[in-house]
Amino acid sequence: MENGERNLEDFKVGSLPTLIYIPDFITETEQTQLLNHIYKAPITKWKSLKNRRLQNWGGVVHEKGLLPQALPPWLTKITQRICQRTGLFPSAINHVLINEYLPDQGIMPHQDGPAYFPVVAILSLGCPAVMNFTPHSKLRACNDGERTTDADASSDIQKDEHGNKICLNDHHSFSVLLMPCSLLIFKDEAYSDYLHGIEDTNEHRIDKVVNVFEALKHKKDQISPGSGDSEEIERTEHIESIQRTSTRISLTCRLVLKVHKNLFKF
Ligand SMILES: O=C(O)CCC(=O)C(=O)O
Ligand SMILES: [Fe+2]
């Protein structure tokens, strides 16, 4: 069965309710077409930041909403597929941020801004990379002094009827391996209780990845490209990191619900 026909539930990874990883969401030909469009854009379309470059498509996002600009057809082809395939966006995706990372570039752990509808879909192109999810500091703070043996863990603290603190969910840091042509979607706790980021190093650890099968496939390919037997996968399980050897491009596709039709109403 093609990935496009399978139930979204089948692509859930990790223990959080809504972290979805779809390998081969686009074909390699589509990846090449997208990269061509991205690199055909005028140089002025790129905004250089300290540790990466980005292109902003769909308009300017302000605290109060989006000052819109129509997405080009080469992007709506993808955003429409994401909306249809996931059914998680209440209306059409209207904003796409394209990030370019050299092998030693990344993005600081962060939470996406409040202007966005709280579902994000990230399409990956080019070199594989690992995205790390870490519990939000607000949650970690609840836990200070209570879980000194496990620095990565955090819990929702609530009070019981006597006012004693009780821990509900455990929050652990985890990672996702983002392979080219894959789509990562996250919402709910993964969106609200965790920071996500990519380390600015050319080697990424994969020991905490939740999409394990993807990691094993990749590890096998690093050792002997092309051969796919499962014994080989087992033999490569000891590899704990991936090398970033070329550029990665990502398309962060989101929806800003509040759209300003008229500049003067801002
Ligand atoms: O490049 C990525 O995969 C993540 C980008 C991201 O988190 C963002 O644009 O907010
Ligand atoms: Fe983000």
Side-chain angles (χ1 to χ4, degrees), residues 206-219:
I206 52 170
D207 51 327
K208 282 193 190 169
V209 301
V210 289
N211 51 344
V212 177
F213 189 69
E214 204 63 3
L216 292 177
K217 266 196 311 191
H218 179 60
K219 286 196 284 190

Side-chain angles (χ1 to χ4, degrees), residues 13-252:
V13 288
S15 54
L16 293 178
T18 336
L19 190 76
I20 295 159
Y21 176 85
I22 310 180
D24 305 315
F25 185 76
I26 58 165
T27 63
E28 288 196 10
T29 310
E30 287 174 321
Q31 166 174 243
T32 307
Q33 287 165 350
L34 280 169
L35 288 168
N36 285 341
H37 280 293
I38 293 164
Y39 285 106
K40 230 172 42 192
I43 190 82
T44 49
K45 187 73 188 167
W46 288 104
K47 184 177 173 195
S48 287
L49 306 181
K50 226 171 35 203
N51 59 351
R52 64 182 197 282
R53 298 198 290 176
L54 58 85
Q55 291 182 6
N56 182 74
W57 293 92
V60 182
V61 182
H62 283 266
E63 235 173 78
K64 291 182 188 153
L66 180 70
L67 194 56
Q69 207 168 34
L71 289 172
W74 58 271
L75 278 176
T76 51
K77 182 181 162 196
I78 298 299
T79 55
Q80 282 169 2
R81 191 185 305 170
I82 293 172
C83 286
Q84 280 160 10
R85 183 73 183 81
T86 66
L88 293 174
F89 293 89
S91 55
I93 287 171
N94 54 9
H95 194 262
V96 179
L97 205 62
I98 298 181
N99 282 295
E100 181 200 59
Y101 305 88
L102 300 178
D104 60 349
Q105 295 185 323
I107 185 166
M108 295 271 288
H110 67 279
Q111 244 183 334
D112 291 356
Y116 299 107
F117 181 74
V119 176
V120 59
I122 299 173
L123 183 70
S124 292
L125 313 177
C127 192
V130 171
M131 179 174 280
N132 300 316
F133 285 79
T134 37
H136 196 277
S137 55
K138 210 167 64 191
L139 289 171
R140 254 200 322 266
C142 293
N143 230 14
D144 276 354
E146 296 194 1
R147 196 189 273 271
T148 48
T149 53
D150 185 354
D152 284 329
S154 183
S155 302
D156 271 331
I157 303 288
Q158 297 216 341
K159 298 255 171 87
D160 67 13
E161 67 271 28
H162 310 294
N164 299 318
K165 275 182 176 182
I166 49 168
C167 300
L168 292 179
N169 310 316
D170 267 343
H171 288 77
H172 290 273
S173 55
F174 61 89
S175 322
V176 186
L177 176 60
L178 303 174
M179 292 298 284
C181 301
S182 72
L183 186 74
L184 175 73
I185 302 150
F186 58 95
K187 65 189 276 272
D188 303 320
E189 277 113 301
Y191 190 94
S192 57
D193 297 358
Y194 287 78
L195 303 176
H196 55 281
I198 295 172
E199 265 189 56
D200 55 0
T201 51
N202 57 18
E203 185 174 345
H204 279 171
R205 291 190 65 85
I206 52 170
D207 51 327
K208 282 193 190 169
V209 301
V210 289
N211 51 344
V212 177
F213 189 69
E214 204 63 3
L216 292 177
K217 266 196 311 191
H218 179 60
K219 286 196 284 190
K220 172 197 67 74
D221 276 346
Q222 275 195 323
I223 285 192
S224 56
S227 91
D229 67 71
S230 53
E231 264 179 47
E232 184 118 33
I233 286 180
E234 274 167 35
R235 267 185 272 131
T236 59
E237 267 177 68
H238 61 280
I239 300 177
E240 301 244 302
S241 60
I242 59 157
Q243 301 298 327
R244 300 170 72 199
T245 51
S246 56
T247 303
R248 169 174 183 264
I249 289 268
S250 67
L251 282 69
T252 303

